Amino acid sequence: MASPDATAGGGRMSLTAKILIAMGGGIVTGLILNAIDLGFLNSLLVDGLFTMIGTIFMNALKMLVVPLVIFSLICGVAGIGDIGALGRVGGKSLVLYIATTALAIMMAIGVSLIIGPGSGFEMSGVEVGSVAGKEAPSAWSVIADIVPSNPIAAAANGQMLQIIFYVIVLAVAALMLGDISKPFLQGCEYMNELMMKIVEIVMHFAPYGVFCLIAKVFAQEGLVVFLPVLGYVSSLVLALVLHCFVVLMIIFKATSGLSPVTFLKKMWPTQVFAFSTASSSATIPVNYRNVTERMGADQSVASFTIPFGATINMDGTAIMQGVATVFIANVYGVDLGVSGYLTVIGMAVLASIGTAGVPGVGMVMLTMVLGQVGLPLDGIAIILGVDRLMDMLRTAVNVTGDAMVTVVVAKTEGKLDIAKFNDPDAALESGHELDIDPEAEKRLADAVHPQGHSPAE
Ligand code: ASP
């Protein structure tokens, strides 16, 4: 099966190259539209065409998430072999996700304390009382909410932890039933294949979707919004880059022994998806496909760790909260002290477990963190203008953490195809994977409507 990197036959450009070009084209187009006021044409393009195509693309990705997670996880649990292994995968990924998130925010606080963004910031223009806070969830309620009272509602609302819990119970029960579950599991296997095919179809339109999503953001935001908060932005970008390319890669090398360079090269297309959608949840189908088909992680591990990570693991978001807290504390001249920063670390980790990876959720989490340490929520108004772009960047870091942990857990469980991981061309097969085979189509039609029976009969 082809991957996000799939190259069409006949030497045509790879999908990754197309997506990267779309990203660059989107940035340039957006900035041009932001700089030149073309009046009616601007709104026709940005609010009309780009928004419409971007929304279609986001919806197409999101429509895949719940069915893909359900069927791949059922197949994953059924294929894992023993229930003990399932517990180990869960335990290892939970520890790694929490540890990397905690490390991310500690590093972010350290970097910002050294750089000191926000000291001497001019508060004029900040609307007082414009930001409403949100209460932090308690650890008890986060845990209690994992068990859904209504699995259909959980699926309808995309409640990932509830879906994962329910599906694992379902799959384990199916295994307990033994042989009579065979048709059910075969059906799920088929549904999983079908979902992966739809991912492939949606991926073909990715360059257009990526272009429109990115062009829209840059046309609306421009670059001038960065100037007043350059200190915040540069500290944040530095911390994100350090975490993604240094901290995570040291952990990756130390725990798996695999090449970080190979990992990062294969991670590119997925990062671009996360960047353009600003949503770890919408990136689940792409990330799952990449780690299984390009990096060689077994489905039994990835079907659990990728959706689990998209929900509880948010290194980039935690980094934003660390940098933003130091920035806002500096703006208001508040010294949080060691206990204040420890509270920030604890809150950020807890908040990232309890909230789903969707655009803008990091800002909601920030209101919880600031409220807890007594910083004014109005500080958020200062950085709100640049948040969409920062959201895109931190989401790319979030999904990198999910993939890194998946490969590490798969490797330590003996569930990683190392040859596939090391093969730069893995799943880069050429072909016309979206073509329908006319022979197969005819066979299927004959099977559904046997000779001599028309569909109307
Ligand atoms: N957009 C981020 C994600 O989906 C969450 C956030 O930082 O707002 O992972």
Side-chain angles (χ1 to χ4, degrees):
M1 196 181 288
S3 81
D5 250 10
T7 334
R12 292 215 309 261
M13 194 187 284
S14 77
L15 190 55
T16 300
K18 285 187 195 162
I19 291 171
L20 287 177
I21 291 171
M23 182 174 92
I27 293 176
V28 173
T29 310
L31 289 177
I32 292 174
L33 286 173
N34 184 267
I36 314 167
D37 187 9
L38 299 174
F40 172 66
L41 198 62
N42 260 41
S43 64
L44 192 73
L45 282 178
V46 179
D47 304 328
L49 194 68
F50 293 169
T51 304
M52 181 189 76
I53 296 178
T55 308
I56 291 175
F57 181 60
M58 280 293 278
N59 288 349
L61 281 174
K62 286 194 225 158
M63 77 178 181
L64 291 164
V65 174
V66 173
L68 182 73
V69 169
I70 291 176
F71 295 114
S72 65
L73 193 52
I74 292 175
C75 299
V77 174
I80 206 162
D82 68 300
I83 303 298
L86 186 67
R88 275 201 313 276
V89 168
K92 282 182 193 173
S93 51
L94 181 69
V95 168
L96 277 170
Y97 281 146
I98 291 181
T100 47
T101 305
L103 212 59
I105 184 161
M106 283 191 260
M107 189 269 294
I109 291 174
V111 167
S112 330
L113 285 176
I114 294 168
I115 298 181
S119 330
F121 183 85
E122 255 317 310
M123 280 295 286
S124 58
V126 175
E127 232 180 281
V128 177
S130 56
V131 180
K134 204 168 176 253
E135 279 282 307
S138 76
W140 305 112
S141 70
V142 168
I143 295 169
D145 283 348
I146 293 175
V147 182
S149 60
N150 178 349
I152 307 290
N157 297 321
Q159 293 288 340
M160 208 47 74
L161 292 184
Q162 297 192 347
I163 296 172
I164 291 174
F165 177 85
Y166 188 75
V167 169
I168 290 180
V169 172
L170 190 82
V172 170
L175 286 180
M176 286 171 160
L177 280 178
D179 278 351
I180 53 166
S181 296
K182 223 170 164 189
F184 169 71
L185 294 176
Q186 278 169 342
C188 291
E189 194 77 54
Y190 168 74
M191 286 305 292
N192 187 34
E193 281 292 314
L194 194 62
M195 289 303 136
M196 293 300 279
K197 198 65 186 175
I198 305 178
V199 176
E200 216 166 88
I201 296 171
V202 172
M203 297 290 288
H204 255 69
F205 298 96
Y208 309 103
V210 165
F211 174 85
C212 290
L213 285 171
I214 291 184
K216 181 188 164 197
V217 172
F218 278 84
Q220 287 174 340
E221 312 283 325
L223 289 180
V224 276
V225 284
F226 287 106
L227 294 176
V229 285
L230 212 54
Y232 165 73
V233 170
S234 43
S235 311
L236 180 50
V237 172
L238 176 67
L240 288 172
V241 168
L242 270 180
H243 186 73
C244 186
F245 296 102
V246 182
V247 178
L248 282 184
M249 290 307 104
I250 290 175
I251 299 172
F252 179 69
K253 180 79 193 165
T255 48
S256 72
L258 298 164
S259 158
V261 177
T262 308
F263 174 84
L264 287 172
K265 272 189 188 159
K266 293 191 173 188
M267 200 59 218
W268 243 115
T270 311
Q271 287 171 330
V272 174
F273 264 89
F275 179 78
S276 23
T277 59
S279 170
S280 315
S281 291
T283 311
I284 288 175
V286 182
N287 208 4
Y288 173 72
R289 196 159 176 257
N290 193 43
V291 292
T292 50
E293 292 174 13
R294 290 274 289 139
M295 301 204 195
D298 196 78
Q299 178 199 30
S300 59
V301 174
S303 63
F304 171 74
T305 53
I306 291 293
F308 190 45
T311 313
I312 76 156
N313 183 51
M314 294 189 198
D315 298 0
T317 307
I319 288 172
M320 180 276 281
Q321 288 170 61
V323 177
T325 311
V326 176
F327 174 77
I328 293 169
N330 283 345
V331 167
Y332 287 94
V334 177
D335 183 9
L336 286 180
V338 177
S339 68
Y341 285 117
L342 285 177
T343 309
V344 172
I345 294 168
M347 278 298 301
V349 173
L350 187 65
S352 83
I353 296 174
T355 36
V358 292
V361 79
M363 274 291 144
V364 179
M365 290 155 66
L366 186 61
T367 64
M368 302 175 192
V369 173
L370 295 185
Q372 196 74 22
V373 289
L375 280 172
L377 294 185
D378 289 324
I380 291 182
I382 309 169
I383 51 176
L384 215 50
V386 292
D387 194 60
R388 176 66 192 195
L389 278 162
M390 296 299 101
D391 193 2
M392 293 160 86
L393 280 179
R394 63 183 186 249
T395 308
V397 177
N398 289 347
V399 301
T400 306
D402 302 342
M404 191 280 281
V405 168
T406 299
V407 175
V408 168
V409 173
K411 170 79 185 351
T412 58
E413 283 293 309
K415 298 265 183 199
L416 184 82
D417 182 341
I418 297 176
K420 200 184 235 183
F421 179 88
N422 288 329
D423 177 5
D425 296 329
L428 273 181
E429 72 215 21
S430 58
H432 304 279
E433 67 274 6
L434 291 192
D435 288 351
I436 295 171
D437 175 0
E439 281 298 310
E441 194 184 11
K442 191 166 177 315
R443 278 199 306 274
L444 204 57
D446 285 346
V448 178
H449 305 296
Q451 286 289 312
H453 293 275
S454 78
E457 277 173 322

